[in-house]
Structure formats: C-alpha cells, structure tokens
C-alpha cells in the first residue's frame, strides 16, 4: 500500500517521533448493539470493520518501527468505544506499556459549531493511550469542572452520528509541541 510505505519512510526518517493514531471508531460504537437488528446496519458495520482492521494493522506495523527507533506512541478513541477491548489493541497497550489518559471534550475546548448549538461545550469523554509519560500527565487532568451547560446527550449523539465538521478540538497543537520539545530535551 502506497500510503503505508510513505508513512513508514516518514517514521524511519524521523527517529524519536510521536506516532498518533486516530482511527475512526464507528465500528466500535455502542449504538451498534441497538441497531444490529437492521440488515443495513449490519452491512455498514461489516464495511467499517474491514476498514478498521486495515487501519489497525497499519498503525501496529508503524508503532513497532517508531518504538524501535526511540519514538513515542499515542492512540485515541472515545471512552465508550468497544474497540478498546479488541484483543490486538489490548496486546498493544501491554506490549508497549501504554498509559491511558482520560479526558473530557469540554475541558479541551470541544464545542459544537451547529447553528442551534454553536459554542456549546460537548462533554464527550475519551481516552488517549500513550507511551509518553509527559503526554499522559498533560492530558489526564483535562476533566470537566462543571459550571457550564453541555450539548444534551441526545443532541450530542446526533452530532456524533452526523457531520463531524461541526465539531472542533482546539488543544492538540500545544500538546504536540510541548511533547516534542520535552522529547528533544530528554534525548539531546
């Protein structure tokens, strides 16, 4: 696969890099248990699962390379995603000794951009498993402190099932930069 070969070349050319996995989680959505009674839902689930297996395999392949070259790993999904229980993911977490940071979307600026909910925080709990202690410590304290409204659960589910362009995460760049600076300092 051309994309995988390109990614491998980038990883090998940048020893010590951070490999961030953000694989679609739709096939691990808890709502599948409700919807699997529908033939179309089962067909779509099978299609999503085939894509997931390919992406998971690619990430695991690259993770081994990055880790061998002194790099760090990170992998994210919503907290409720059933894929966290995938045996290959569990094996990855153990093999690399990954720590799982738990955070809330509203604490990192996750807000709706839909007209009816523009600027309203979205609670969305999610986990980031990482080999980088600095990244774990940075992310794990982002918890909702209350004092604000969230998009209601039913509306949040509708947002998650529909157009993800209406959701914005604002905290990733500073996290990556902080990690890279700390990593450079440790390895100089």
């Amino acid at each position: 696969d051309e994309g995988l070969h390109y990614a491998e070349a980038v990883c090998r050319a940048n020893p010590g890099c951070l490999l961030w996995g953000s694989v679609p989680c739709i096939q691990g959505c808890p709502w599948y248990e409700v919807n699997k009674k529908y033939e179309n839902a089962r067909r779509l689930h099978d299609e999503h699962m085939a894509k997931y297996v390919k992406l998971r395999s690619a990430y695991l392949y690259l993770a081994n390379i990055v880790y061998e070259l002194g790099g760090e790993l990170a992998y994210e999904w919503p907290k409720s995603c059933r894929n966290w229980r995938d045996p290959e993911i569990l094996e990855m977490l153990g093999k690399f000794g990954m720590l799982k940071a738990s955070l809330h979307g509203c604490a990192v600026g996750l807000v709706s951009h839909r007209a009816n909910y523009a600027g309203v925080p979205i609670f969305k709990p999610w986990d980031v498993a990482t080999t980088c202690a600095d990244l774990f410590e940075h992310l794990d304290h982002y918890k909702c402190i209350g004092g604000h409204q969230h998009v209601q659960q039913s509306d949040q589910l509708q947002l998650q099932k529909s157009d993800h362009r209406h959701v914005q995460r604002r905290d990733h760049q500073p996290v990556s930069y902080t990690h890279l600076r700390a990593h450079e300092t440790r390895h100089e």
Side-chain angles (χ1 to χ4, degrees), residues 109-159:
L110 182 65
V111 296
S112 172
H113 286 268
R114 286 189 155 232
N116 296 352
Y117 309 103
V120 178
I122 300 174
F123 179 68
K124 190 175 181 175
W126 84 88
D127 290 337
V128 177
T130 183
T131 58
C132 177
D134 294 335
L135 184 60
F136 168 82
E137 289 176 22
H138 183 82
L139 293 176
D140 198 52
H141 77 277
Y142 283 104
K143 306 287 194 269
C144 180
I145 58 172
H148 57 268
Q149 74 176 59
H150 294 109
V151 172
Q152 295 300 312
Q153 185 67 21
S154 60
D155 297 326
Q156 182 176 337
L157 292 172
Q158 189 59 42
L159 286 170

Side-chain angles (χ1 to χ4, degrees), residues 1 11 26 33 35 49 51 60 65 67 73 84-85 92 95 97 106-107 115 119 129 142 150-151 163 166 172 180:
D1 181 48
C11 291
I26 194 166
E33 293 303 316
N35 293 324
M49 186 57 85
K51 291 176 188 175
L60 294 173
I65 294 168
Y67 198 75
L73 308 173
W84 283 117
R85 297 186 303 266
M92 172 187 75
K95 176 181 179 179
C106 61
Y142 283 104
H150 294 109
V151 172
D163 190 350
H166 295 287
H172 282 161
L180 293 174

Side-chain angles (χ1 to χ4, degrees), residues 25-36 45 78-83 85 153 157 160-161:
C25 61
I26 194 166
Q27 73 291 339
C29 176
W31 278 98
Y32 176 67
E33 293 303 316
V34 174
N35 293 324
K36 68 183 178 183
H45 182 266
K79 188 172 204 62
S80 63
C81 183
R82 294 179 311 148
N83 295 341
R85 297 186 303 266
Q153 185 67 21
L157 292 172
Q160 290 175 349
K161 289 191 285 185

Side-chain angles (χ1 to χ4, degrees), residues 1 22-28 43-59 75 77 83 86:
D1 181 48
S22 188
V23 176
C25 61
I26 194 166
Q27 73 291 339
R43 182 186 56 76
L44 288 172
H45 182 266
D46 290 345
E47 290 174 14
H48 292 302
M49 186 57 85
K51 291 176 188 175
Y52 162 68
V53 168
K54 185 176 180 179
L55 291 169
R56 179 193 62 201
S57 297
Y59 182 86
Y75 202 82
W77 268 323
N83 295 341
D86 176 339

